[in-house]
């Protein structure tokens, strides 16, 4: 485990020297030499001793550097002439509990040395890759800018401690990156920028654990990964003994149970609020107590023969390729750091280290298996990214489809012919005349365009669905019909209800049904039968037009599959969506990219939803990324809670502090991570309080027409809980009529991650979507995970003691879903939201329902659905639901409400972006209230974060650059198109066939 802390001064430097209080001077010196060290290039350059002495350490934290010319004082000048600076960064590396017990209780010095080496190797990586200094410069216009320059020179002070706060054995090292560095060409020392260390915390933890695991395996130990983030313990180490030596963890869990919390954020808050003074005790006293605790456990059989512990297969290249497949499920390109981190985390039990991974990545770059690309600032993902041939080919293939597009797919031959048809039907004519210009243009586009693939780019609330209803009627006049598909069941239901398109299905189901018409699928079929089948299917689609709604939510892979099917079946394909709304959770932004590549597209921008003109203008300004102006339009509805984040008189930075005699139990934490989490939790609580106040200030009838939206599931869950508490107090929820349901909660694990045994935990529920004859597992059957090994999971059926071993490499990951179980109370009048489709009871994912009654005698629940129909179902059938008082922005896309209360926290950088803001406020007809912790920071975050997905090819490569034959040939070879310094198009060769 790795935790990071920012040191603001040297005030608490003495707290690192644990030996002072209970060792003699001579003993203390021996301990210092044994447990402390200076490391890094600057330790050699400054000729520092091998151990850390208190005064030298304090001077260095204060920025006093001894040079041949005397002391150099580092820091920035303040107005009073003094210098200010941060002291450094504390990186605390904590060994696994099993290793700590073996090293400290049994005195295995070789294991303590393994920990030391892992820390040193991680520090070396930091020095070579993450140490930077700020460099300022002015351009020709006099504008000043600051860049970060890598120096590869650093100074670290390490302190190895062996106990936790409760005096349990816990081997850990504080590695202090001192705020000093030096450029190669300079003689003076400079301050360090530690930003990259904090950005790469998870990577550094993975590097440390990888080094630990490799050396432990070489010593004959086996590794058992205990967490999906790569944490591990020594295999077969007694769990009961680890629990006995984890009393601090037990304290935290006890408090969590008392307050009814079990999440990581709450755990961090409890840890900080309940921490107490660390009492110092002589080592021999502690070891006597530890030995007494461990005496009844046999720890002699943990090592095996080295020959049996390390396997040669799969290769490092195989492991990296598997990690790439996980990363490219969600983004088309990835950073080198993320690739290293993913590979180390996934394969901790295989003893792979960063040296192995970096070496193989370099080989793969040379072989062109991995390809380096550059991103511009458009997506705010700056710097060097990497991708694969497959991802490049996928995007190139999408563009190539436009180049080979059929031009004979018009339904009406001309606009005049279409108008003539409209005039023949008074009902259609009256409806058509009421359309906006954008809606009319879209109808014309669908029915007159010659191209096989065309697009409709429609902003939120412009009446896209209503427009489709008119187009459907005109299509029927020609003897044709729509086949409507969308990424979600709720979206297809909307097309059925509001556009009256009866032939509809989800995109996933459509792709599975017609997957045999993919170019690489079904080649083993008998040629005669294959041709006959194709002709029959083409005949079926002869009078069909496919309309894909919510196209922005579709990934590259899905879009390419859909277009391939449409091309094979020779059917017209309409892509409808909004590139400004939320993107696919998987890789790519093909709807945006196809528009950039020249797909004939009509723009619908006449917003009809918003009745409030200020809100309507705010939505329009957000579409054009004018966030400041959008805020001004709804400024009266922006509610900023009062927190330390937005106060003018902010508290001074937290300093390290030792204990004081006046208050011996008070300790100032120097763990920035815990402090930040605590502050964010306090901020979140205030945001939730203000959200509830805003919600319950509305009349009840308005509350029922109001959406509470937030991008974070964590905040959504807490708002749901608080709303329920208030509704119970008001008597609107009937506490006397209740039941408790064991619900299934999706783990949201990607398909590739399902192939790793470490993705499964004891107690997880696995549901299979197909019949596995060899395992005698039926479709829809639920099995519980009771154990796992490196490559398999062990499952048990309900009401059956029979165990099934499932080798994960033998399954198609798309055929199974993984859930955790959770008890959820249900009351009469409860508002719930379904989280999975249920064909048996016709329940639709993301749709809501009201609990009308609960009959515990008959074990049934009576629900009123969104369509006002009522159903009664067994309580045991209601496995997939959540409370519906608050929703995520993602699940709300496509919905409309009178009012919206939009929650956006400025500190959630990954979730707070323009797409989320746009979706949240555009759901509202009348009022949109925005609740945040810091209006100014939120505006700055939104201006920087667009929320767009990464595409491998830039906009230049998908627009006019594709119009010439020469450049098309260049792209087919894999040549990258970009701008030279004069703005001219040129190609950079990355030949995919090399």
């Amino acid at each position: 485990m790795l935790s990071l802390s920012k040191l603001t001064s040297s005030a608490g430097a003495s707290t690192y020297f644990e030996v002072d209080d209970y060792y003699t001077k001579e003993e203390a010196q021996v301990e210092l030499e044994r447990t402390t060290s200076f490391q890094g290039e600057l330790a050699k350059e400054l000729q520092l001793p091998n151990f850390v002495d208190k005064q030298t350490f304090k001077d260095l934290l204060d920025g006093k550097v001894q040079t041949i010319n005397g002391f150099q004082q580092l820091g920035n000048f303040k107005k009073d002439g003094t210098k200010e600076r941060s002291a450094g960064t504390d990186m605390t590396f904590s060994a696994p509990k099993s290793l700590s017990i073996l090293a400290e209780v049994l005195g295995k010095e070789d294991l303590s040395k393994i920990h030391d080496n892992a820390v040193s190797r991680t520090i070396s990586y930091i020095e070579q890759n993450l140490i930077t200094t700020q460099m300022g410069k002015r351009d020709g216009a006099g504008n000043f800018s600051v860049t970060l320059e890598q120096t590869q020179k650093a100074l670290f002070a390490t302190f190895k401690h062996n106990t936790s706060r409760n005096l349990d054995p816990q081997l850990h090292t504080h590695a202090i990156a001192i705020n000093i560095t030096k450029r190669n060409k300079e003689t003076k020392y400079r301050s360090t920028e530690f930003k990259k260390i904090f950005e790469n915390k998870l990577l550094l933890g993975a590097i440390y654990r990888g080094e630990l695991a490799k050396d432990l395996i070489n010593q004959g130990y086996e590794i058992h990964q205990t967490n999906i983030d790569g944490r591990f313990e020594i295999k077969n180490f007694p769990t009961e003994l680890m629990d006995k030596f984890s009393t601090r963890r037990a304290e935290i869990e006890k408090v969590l149970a008392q307050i009814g919390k079990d999440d990581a954020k709450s755990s961090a808050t409890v840890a900080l609020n309940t921490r107490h003074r660390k009492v110092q005790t002589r080592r021999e006293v502690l070891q006597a107590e530890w030995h007494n605790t461990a005496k009844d456990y046999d720890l002699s059989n943990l090592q095996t023969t080295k020959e049996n512990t390390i396997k040669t297969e799969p290769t490092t290249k195989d492991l990296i390729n598997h990690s790439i497949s996980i990363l490219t499920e969600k983004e088309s390109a990835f950073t080198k750091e993320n690739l290293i981190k993913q590979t180390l985390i996934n394969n901790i039990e295989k003893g792979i280290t960063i040296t192995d991974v970096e070496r193989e990545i370099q080989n793969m770059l040379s072989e062109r298996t991995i390809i380096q690309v550059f991103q511009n600032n458009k997506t705010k993902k700056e710097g060097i990214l990497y991708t694969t041939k497959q991802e490049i080919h996928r995007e190139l293939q999408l563009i190539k489809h436009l180049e080979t597009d059929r031009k004979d797919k018009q339904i009406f031959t001309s606009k005049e012919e279409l108008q003539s048809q409209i005039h023949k039907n008074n009902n259609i004519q009256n409806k058509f005349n009421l359309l906006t210009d954008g809606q009319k243009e879209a109808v014309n586009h669908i029915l007159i365009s010659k191209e096989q693939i065309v697009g409709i780019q429609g902003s939120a609330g412009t009446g896209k669905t209503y427009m489709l209803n008119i187009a459907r009627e005109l299509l029927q006049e020609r003897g044709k019909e729509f086949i409507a598909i969308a990424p979600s069941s709720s979206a297809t239901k909307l097309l059925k209800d509001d556009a009256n398109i009866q032939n509809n299905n989800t995109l996933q189901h459509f792709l599975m049904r017609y997957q045999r018409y993919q170019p690489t699928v079904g080649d083993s079929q008998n040629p005669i039968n294959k041709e006959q089948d194709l002709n029959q299917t083409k005949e079926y689609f002869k009078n069909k037009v496919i309309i894909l709604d919510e196209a922005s939510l579709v990934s590259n892979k899905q879009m390419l599959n859909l277009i391939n099917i449409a091309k094979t079946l020779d059917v017209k394909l309409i892509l409808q969506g909004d590139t400004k709304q939320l993107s696919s959770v998987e890789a790519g932004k093909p709807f945006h990219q196809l528009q950039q590549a020249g797909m004939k597209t009509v723009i619908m921008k006449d917003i009809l939803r918003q009745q409030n003109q200020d809100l309507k203008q705010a939505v329009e300004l957000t579409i054009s990324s004018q966030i400041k102006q959008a805020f001004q339009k709804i400024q009266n509805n922006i509610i900023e809670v009062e927190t330390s984040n937005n106060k003018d008189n902010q508290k001074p930075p937290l300093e390290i502090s030792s204990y004081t005699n006046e208050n011996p139990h008070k300790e100032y934490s120097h763990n920035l991570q815990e402090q930040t989490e605590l502050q964010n939790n306090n901020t979140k609580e205030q945001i939730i309080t203000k959200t509830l106040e805003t919600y319950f200030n509305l009349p009840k009838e308005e509350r029922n027409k109001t959406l509470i939206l937030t991008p974070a599931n964590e905040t959504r869950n807490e708002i749901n809980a608080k709303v329920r508490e208030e509704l119970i107090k008001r008597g609107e929820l009937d506490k006397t009529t209740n039941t408790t349901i064991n619900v299934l909660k999706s783990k949201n694990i990607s398909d590739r991650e399902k192939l790793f045994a470490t993705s499964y935990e004891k107690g997880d529920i696995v549901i299979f979507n197909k019949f596995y004859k060899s395992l005698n597992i039926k479709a829809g059957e639920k099995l519980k995970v009771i154990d796992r090994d490196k490559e398999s999971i062990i499952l048990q059926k309900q009401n059956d003691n029979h165990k099934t071993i499932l080798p994960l490499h033998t399954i198609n990951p798309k055929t199974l879903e993984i859930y955790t179980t959770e008890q959820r109370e249900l009351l009469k009048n409860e508002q719930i939201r379904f989280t999975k489709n249920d064909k048996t009871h016709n329940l639709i994912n993301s749709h809501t329902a009201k609990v009308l009654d609960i009959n515990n005698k008959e074990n049934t629940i009576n629900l009123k659905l969104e369509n006002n129909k009522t159903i009664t179902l067994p309580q045991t059938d209601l496995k997939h639901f959540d409370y519906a008082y608050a929703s995520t922005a993602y699940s709300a896309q496509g919905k409309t409400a009178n009012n919206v209360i939009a929650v956006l926290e400025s500190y959630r950088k990954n979730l707070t972006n323009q797409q989320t803001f746009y979706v949240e406020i555009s759901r509202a007809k009348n009022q949109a209230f925005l609740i945040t912790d810091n209006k100014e920071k939120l505006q700055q975050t939104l201006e920087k974060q667009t929320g767009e997905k990464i595409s491998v090819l830039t906009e230049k490569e998908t627009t006019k650059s594709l119009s010439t034959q020469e450049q098309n040939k260049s792209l087919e070879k894999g040549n990258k198109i970009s701008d030279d310094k004069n703005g001219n198009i040129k190609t950079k060769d990355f030949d995919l066939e090399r």
Side-chain angles (χ1 to χ4, degrees), residues 70 87 189 212 274 482 533 536 546 580 631 658 684 719 919 932 939:
Y189 295 92
L212 270 184
T274 63
F482 277 130
D533 172 68
Q536 289 175 348
I546 299 173
K580 291 292 184 177
F631 271 34
S658 56
K684 182 179 63 180
I719 291 174
V919 168
T932 185
Q939 179 185 310

Side-chain angles (χ1 to χ4, degrees), residues 46 106 140 242 284 357 469 474 487 597 652 686 789 943 966 976:
L46 293 171
L106 299 191
M242 285 192 284
E284 55 266 30
V357 178
N469 191 30
L474 289 165
Q686 293 180 64
D789 57 25
E943 288 172 344
E966 180 181 349
K976 187 172 178 65

Side-chain angles (χ1 to χ4, degrees), residues 398-399 402 453-458 551-552 559 575-580 589-604 955 958-960 962:
L398 280 168
I399 298 165
L402 294 182
I453 305 168
V454 296
I456 298 170
Q457 163 62 34
S552 70
M559 187 68 81
L575 307 179
Q576 175 174 284
D578 183 3
T579 58
K580 291 292 184 177
K589 48 178 182 179
F591 186 52
H592 171 91
Q593 204 164 13
L594 287 168
Q595 290 186 48
Q596 293 294 326
M599 176 178 67
K600 293 294 179 65
T601 304
V602 161
I603 309 296
M604 292 175 59
E955 290 184 10
T958 56
T959 52
K960 295 181 181 179
L962 297 175

Side-chain angles (χ1 to χ4, degrees), residues 777-792:
I777 297 175
K778 299 175 183 177
E781 196 164 7
K782 302 178 181 67
L783 286 85
K784 180 185 287 189
V785 177
I786 59 174
D787 207 351
R788 61 176 171 84
D789 57 25
K790 289 186 178 182
E791 308 293 341
S792 306

Side-chain angles (χ1 to χ4, degrees), residues 103-105 107 282-292:
E104 300 302 327
V105 180
R282 291 185 67 89
R283 178 179 297 154
E284 55 266 30
V285 175
L286 281 177
Q287 286 186 323
E289 294 177 359
W290 292 343
H291 276 290
N292 186 56

Side-chain angles (χ1 to χ4, degrees), residues 130-147:
L130 305 180
I131 297 297
T132 60
T133 189
Q134 292 185 353
M135 297 297 297
K137 65 177 181 180
R138 294 190 184 276
D139 59 21
N143 299 314
F144 184 78
S145 63
V146 176
T147 59

Side-chain angles (χ1 to χ4, degrees), residues 20 42 55 115 220 263 308 330 355 360 513-514 587 723 814 856 903 942 946 959:
D20 291 355
L42 294 184
Q55 188 59 49
H115 165 77
D263 58 282
N308 294 333
K330 295 184 179 179
T355 303
E360 189 55 45
R513 183 176 181 180
Y514 296 105
V723 170
K814 291 186 180 298
N856 287 321
V903 177
L942 291 175
T946 66
T959 52

Side-chain angles (χ1 to χ4, degrees), residues 555-757:
S555 68
N556 278 346
K557 186 176 181 180
Q558 290 173 319
M559 187 68 81
L560 185 57
N561 288 345
L562 176 61
I563 292 177
N564 281 335
I565 291 170
K567 290 275 186 176
T568 302
L569 300 179
D570 194 25
V571 59
K572 189 177 183 74
L573 175 61
I574 314 294
L575 307 179
Q576 175 174 284
D578 183 3
T579 58
K580 291 292 184 177
Q581 294 193 55
L582 295 169
S583 305
S584 167
V585 294
E586 296 181 7
K589 48 178 182 179
F591 186 52
H592 171 91
Q593 204 164 13
L594 287 168
Q595 290 186 48
Q596 293 294 326
M599 176 178 67
K600 293 294 179 65
T601 304
V602 161
I603 309 296
M604 292 175 59
K605 59 183 180 180
D606 301 315
I607 295 176
L608 301 171
R609 179 179 294 157
Q610 279 74 47
Q611 307 301 311
N612 181 314
Q613 286 303 306
D614 284 337
L615 177 57
K616 180 179 179 180
Q617 290 175 28
V619 172
E620 291 170 338
L621 289 164
T622 303
I623 292 170
S624 58
S625 299
Q626 299 180 69
I627 304 302
K628 181 179 180 180
Q629 293 84 343
F631 271 34
Q632 290 171 349
K633 289 296 178 181
I634 58 171
Q635 58 183 339
N636 293 334
N637 281 2
I638 299 179
I639 302 170
E640 185 180 50
V641 301
E642 186 174 314
T643 70
S644 59
N645 284 345
N646 55 40
K647 289 180 181 177
D648 293 333
N649 55 339
Q650 291 190 23
K651 296 178 181 179
L654 193 70
E655 294 186 350
I656 301 176
S657 177
S658 56
Y659 305 114
T660 62
N661 292 328
E662 292 78 13
N663 188 358
H665 298 292
K666 173 69 176 177
E667 180 188 359
Y668 294 95
S669 168
H670 53 266
N671 190 316
L672 179 68
Q673 180 184 349
E674 289 180 346
Q675 285 290 332
T676 301
E677 288 176 348
L678 179 59
Q679 178 175 300
N680 287 345
N681 276 336
N682 291 337
T683 300
K684 182 179 63 180
E685 289 299 323
Q686 293 180 64
I687 285 177
I688 291 171
T689 299
K690 186 59 68 173
T691 300
L692 263 66
E693 180 184 310
T694 305
Y695 181 66
F696 283 104
N697 278 342
L698 295 171
K700 184 178 179 180
E701 59 272 15
E702 278 301 305
R703 278 195 270 126
N704 294 334
K705 303 172 185 176
T706 298
L707 289 174
I708 301 176
L709 301 179
T710 173
N713 271 312
E714 175 195 356
T715 305
R716 176 187 64 82
N717 288 333
E718 296 197 28
I719 291 174
N720 275 331
K722 295 294 185 182
V723 170
R724 291 186 76 249
E725 288 178 13
E726 183 62 28
L727 290 174
I728 291 170
K729 288 179 184 177
R730 292 173 177 235
E732 295 181 31
L733 289 182
D734 186 355
K735 187 76 173 175
T736 63
T737 307
N738 69 84
T739 188
T740 300
I741 304 290
N742 290 318
V743 299
L744 296 178
K745 187 177 179 181
S746 175
K747 293 187 74 170
N748 293 318
I749 293 174
S750 71
D751 286 341
R752 290 291 179 175
E753 288 172 319
K754 291 175 186 176
L755 300 176
F756 286 91

